[in-house]
Amino acid sequence: MSAKKCDVVIVGAGFAGMYLLHRMRKLGFSTRVFETGTDVGGTWYWNRYPGARCDVESMQYSYSFSEELQQEWNWSEVFSAQPEILEYAGHVADRFDLRRDIDFNTTVTSAHYDEGTSRWDVTTDKGESLSAQYVVMATGCISTAQTPDFKGLDDYKGAVYHTGNWPHEKVDFTGQRVAVIGTGSSGIQAIPVIAEQAGHVTVFQRTPNYSLPAQNAPMTEDYARSWKDEYPNLREQMRQTAKGALGEFSDVMGLEASQAERATEYERRWALGGTALLGSFRDMMVNRDVNETAAEFVRDKIRDIVHDPKVADKLVAKDYPIGTKRICVDSGYFETFNRNNVALVDINETPIENLTANGLATSTEEFEFDAIVFATGFDAMTGTLFKVDIEGQGGARLRDKWDAGPRTYFGLMSEAFPNMFMVTGPGSPSVLTNMMVSIEQHVDWITDCLVHMRDNGLATIAPELQAQDDWVEHVNEVAHGTLFPLAASWYMGANIAGKPRIFMPYIGGAGSYREICDKVVADGYDGFSFEPASAQATAAE
Ligand code: NAP
């Protein structure tokens, strides 16, 4: 029996997969979406840990493709919490009747390119096989949770959680002794909320993080109105910015300001909240001296907030520039260490040696816990792509091709994998921007490309090797002109043992990246090669 056929298979029903489905359907492409979860929402479906919240303002972290949608939806807070964002995803699915083309609870296990038919053979864990002209990996950048391989992991008998894969039923920590391992964005958001409920929380910190207060507030009607009345214009402005978001980004160079002026500016932006502080000076992420003034300002804030100077000192990041590991945004994180039911363990001083039946042991102490929360991050940007057995031309495996780090043309496609697209793949601005803006840009680029191919009788598209090599080199060059590579961050793959250390996202900014992508199209898809449908049919005969 021959496999079922469709034009497009989309892997993932997060914000990227949902918008893709909506557009493909409107354009008349037969489309199937496969999603491991039981509902839409992607990252907001999985990351439902206590305190999970977006650090891009909701008026900006939302779809722009439908004026009706952006007018009708009301956010209750400036920075929305996970349940409301998930509710929004559900609303979008209802509104555009998306779920009928999504197979939930279904994981794509392999995608093999058949050079005879120039189509992808896709299989799922439900045993289904499907032949598709195009495959779009809308699998998210931060979607493969990683639990470190601690000795004795299986010996521990208490409850185990991972922030990136949180249970759907309510978790009650009341009265419990809880360990939280990891102090990235997820840990920093979860710890204050868990500490309010638990009997005692012990935080295991490997690297102290810089975190800025969200200064979150209820949404006011006036503020929402100021966006809704101007949405088309403001969304267009957002698309042109480096971050894909409107905010205060100064053009002043940091050392042109006096010390007093810098202090005033940092203070003002700390009060403004969110990531505003990083926009204080234009050269914040390229000039170490300027960066150090902001880093020191934040360190002083931490020392002011945390009563015990020894604890404060442990919480202060000293070894890398601010912003080079993804900046965290918190609600009461440092204040939490003033509670008498919270303790901090610096595992650089006293490493975790192993988990035990009742807890864990560091080099100096044994701890007992009712629950351990891993807030230990993700195999970012490539981990989820590698979970699918992807084979391109000549049986080339994606995993092998990217052995020394991801190689893409614009983070959209990779040489030897014709007709396979990625949404916000490595080599695109993705995680350095407001993801909604980058997702919409990629989805629009991909769908426009498919229409172009249909209109021109083209069967396949793939990047040329030289064009891809040039792009990879450019991505690296731009990254190394900044301070970012100075931190052992997940942007660099540094959180996963054995992962190549390559700065994965494109740091050139969402606005200029969009211009580059548009120009490539205007220049006849420069750097891509197409095969016409007729040539492909002849080859198959
Ligand atoms: P993360 O930033 O990678 O943080 C993981 C934490 O676990 C780090 O503190 C890391 O320490 C620690 N860790 C990892 N392996 C360890 C080990 N073997 N032993 C001890 N500690 C270990 O992960 P995340 O907090 O889940 O955040 C990931 C990304 O998701 C964020 O950067 C952000 O882009 C996104 N996110 C966004 C939001 C938001 O919008 N507010 C919220 C959550 C997540 P080291 O630093 O030493 O590696």
Side-chain angles (χ1 to χ4, degrees):
M1 200 179 76
S2 61
K4 278 187 253 166
K5 282 190 169 181
C6 68
D7 295 326
V8 187
V9 160
I10 296 169
V11 188
F15 282 124
M18 290 167 69
Y19 179 40
L20 265 166
L21 172 60
H22 174 64
R23 284 225 57 197
M24 293 293 174
R25 218 193 237 168
K26 278 187 110 171
L27 290 163
F29 292 102
S30 61
T31 306
R32 289 279 299 276
V33 183
F34 296 103
E35 165 58 50
T36 301
T38 56
D39 203 353
V40 296
T43 201
W44 302 103
Y45 171 92
W46 298 104
N47 289 266
R48 44 181 89 207
Y49 59 84
R53 185 179 292 285
C54 189
D55 57 13
V56 177
E57 285 192 13
S58 310
M59 298 311 293
Q60 306 198 47
Y61 189 87
S62 44
Y63 286 124
S64 71
F65 70 82
S66 160
E67 176 62 9
E68 296 77 20
L69 172 66
Q70 61 185 4
Q71 290 300 330
E72 78 197 7
W73 184 261
N74 296 313
W75 298 103
S76 66
E77 294 175 278
V78 174
F79 294 99
S80 293
Q82 173 270 336
E84 191 164 287
I85 304 173
L86 191 59
E87 201 186 316
Y88 170 74
H91 169 76
V92 174
D94 290 341
R95 192 185 200 289
F96 298 101
D97 189 20
L98 298 178
R99 288 190 183 88
R100 73 181 149 89
D101 285 323
I102 306 175
D103 285 47
F104 292 106
N105 221 354
T106 307
T107 299
V108 169
T109 49
S110 71
H112 292 179
Y113 186 66
D114 179 335
E115 287 181 79
T117 59
S118 301
R119 296 177 69 87
W120 285 90
D121 297 328
V122 177
T123 57
T124 74
D125 64 347
K126 291 280 164 11
E128 188 178 357
S129 298
L130 203 62
S131 165
Q133 187 179 358
Y134 302 99
V135 172
V136 189
M137 303 301 289
T139 40
C141 299
I142 319 172
S143 42
T144 293
Q146 71 112 14
T147 302
D149 191 15
F150 288 120
K151 220 168 100 192
L153 201 54
D154 294 336
D155 298 342
Y156 177 63
K157 299 286 180 278
V160 174
Y161 304 97
H162 194 295
T163 47
N165 196 357
W166 200 260
H168 287 215
E169 52 284 358
K170 199 169 162 33
V171 176
D172 187 358
F173 290 116
T174 305
Q176 294 192 357
R177 299 158 304 169
V178 181
V180 181
I181 304 176
T183 52
S185 297
S186 305
I188 280 178
Q189 287 186 334
I191 288 161
V193 184
I194 296 175
E196 275 176 20
Q197 195 183 53
H200 191 272
V201 177
T202 309
V203 176
F204 292 88
Q205 170 192 275
R206 186 164 70 178
T207 310
N209 237 318
Y210 299 97
S211 185
L212 305 170
Q215 314 287 19
N216 191 24
M219 182 68 72
T220 63
E221 241 181 86
D222 282 354
Y223 189 63
R225 189 52 38 226
S226 72
W227 276 89
K228 289 189 177 185
D229 285 351
E230 288 292 322
Y231 249 145
N233 172 25
L234 294 173
R235 296 284 200 190
E236 192 45 41
Q237 287 180 36
M238 284 164 63
R239 292 182 193 113
Q240 307 310 324
T241 63
K243 295 274 168 210
L246 294 180
E248 286 194 40
F249 300 100
S250 170
D251 259 344
V252 177
M253 305 297 262
L255 300 181
E256 281 170 8
S258 69
Q259 195 179 344
E261 284 166 342
R262 279 196 300 270
T264 307
E265 188 60 3
Y266 292 148
E267 201 63 67
R268 186 179 75 77
R269 285 171 180 265
W270 178 271
L272 215 53
T275 57
L277 189 123
L278 289 186
S280 302
F281 298 106
R282 198 172 83 194
D283 48 354
M284 178 74 80
M285 298 313 297
V286 291
N287 184 326
R288 181 97 201 226
D289 294 338
V290 174
N291 185 287
E292 180 57 22
T293 63
E296 193 51 25
F297 172 85
V298 173
R299 292 180 197 126
D300 282 345
K301 282 287 182 197
I302 298 168
R303 291 178 188 120
D304 280 352
I305 295 168
V306 179
H307 300 160
D308 182 336
K310 279 196 196 131
V311 176
D313 193 53
K314 286 187 175 100
L315 286 166
V316 161
K318 303 180 186 85
D319 298 340
Y320 61 95
I322 185 169
T324 53
K325 265 173 178 286
R326 166 67 149 69
I327 192 74
C328 301
V329 172
D330 70 276
S331 297
Y333 174 64
F334 295 112
E335 291 82 347
T336 298
F337 291 91
N338 294 331
R339 297 176 67 104
N340 56 18
N341 70 333
V342 175
L344 179 67
V345 176
D346 179 345
I347 56 176
N348 277 318
E349 279 175 12
T350 55
I352 295 175
E353 303 225 307
N354 59 289
L355 268 66
T356 62
N358 298 319
L360 64 78
T362 65
S363 54
T364 55
E365 202 173 340
E366 282 222 13
F367 296 83
E368 293 199 350
F369 298 114
D370 303 300
I372 297 180
V373 174
F374 289 100
T376 43
F378 299 84
D379 187 352
M381 309 218 61
T382 55
T384 311
L385 293 170
F386 290 164
K387 280 208 289 200
V388 182
D389 169 25
I390 297 175
E391 268 187 29
Q393 282 170 321
R397 295 180 70 219
L398 187 73
R399 197 178 247 291
D400 297 337
K401 280 269 181 188
W402 290 11
D403 193 36
R407 301 193 72 78
T408 73
Y409 193 34
F410 304 125
L412 278 163
M413 297 194 84
S414 189
E415 180 269 334
F417 300 89
N419 288 8
M420 173 172 281
F421 296 89
M422 291 162 281
V423 182
T424 63
S428 74
S430 59
V431 291
L432 300 173
T433 67
N434 175 359
M435 284 301 289
M436 285 299 221
V437 170
S438 288
I439 283 171
E440 286 193 330
Q441 186 232 341
H442 267 193
V443 170
D444 288 340
W445 195 98
I446 293 165
T447 46
D448 290 352
C449 174
L450 265 55
V451 171
H452 168 80
M453 290 175 67
R454 185 169 64 186
D455 290 351
N456 291 281
L458 300 168
T460 66
I461 176 173
E464 290 159 9
L465 182 58
Q466 188 58 52
Q468 176 172 293
D469 286 348
D470 292 347
W471 180 252
V472 171
E473 198 184 313
H474 174 64
V475 170
N476 272 304
E477 202 178 283
V478 180
H480 285 275
T482 72
L483 301 175
F484 277 86
L486 296 179
S489 67
W490 59 258
Y491 296 139
M492 297 286 295
N495 63 326
I496 303 287
K499 194 165 171 169
R501 294 217 176 182
I502 300 274
F503 192 81
M504 291 182 283
Y506 176 55
I507 214 168
S512 30
Y513 170 81
R514 176 184 296 268
E515 264 177 42
I516 296 170
C517 292
D518 289 350
K519 182 165 184 321
V520 160
V521 174
D523 292 347
Y525 286 89
D526 192 20
F528 288 98
S529 60
F530 293 95
E531 219 180 85
S534 53
Q536 176 263 330
T538 314
E541 276 163 14

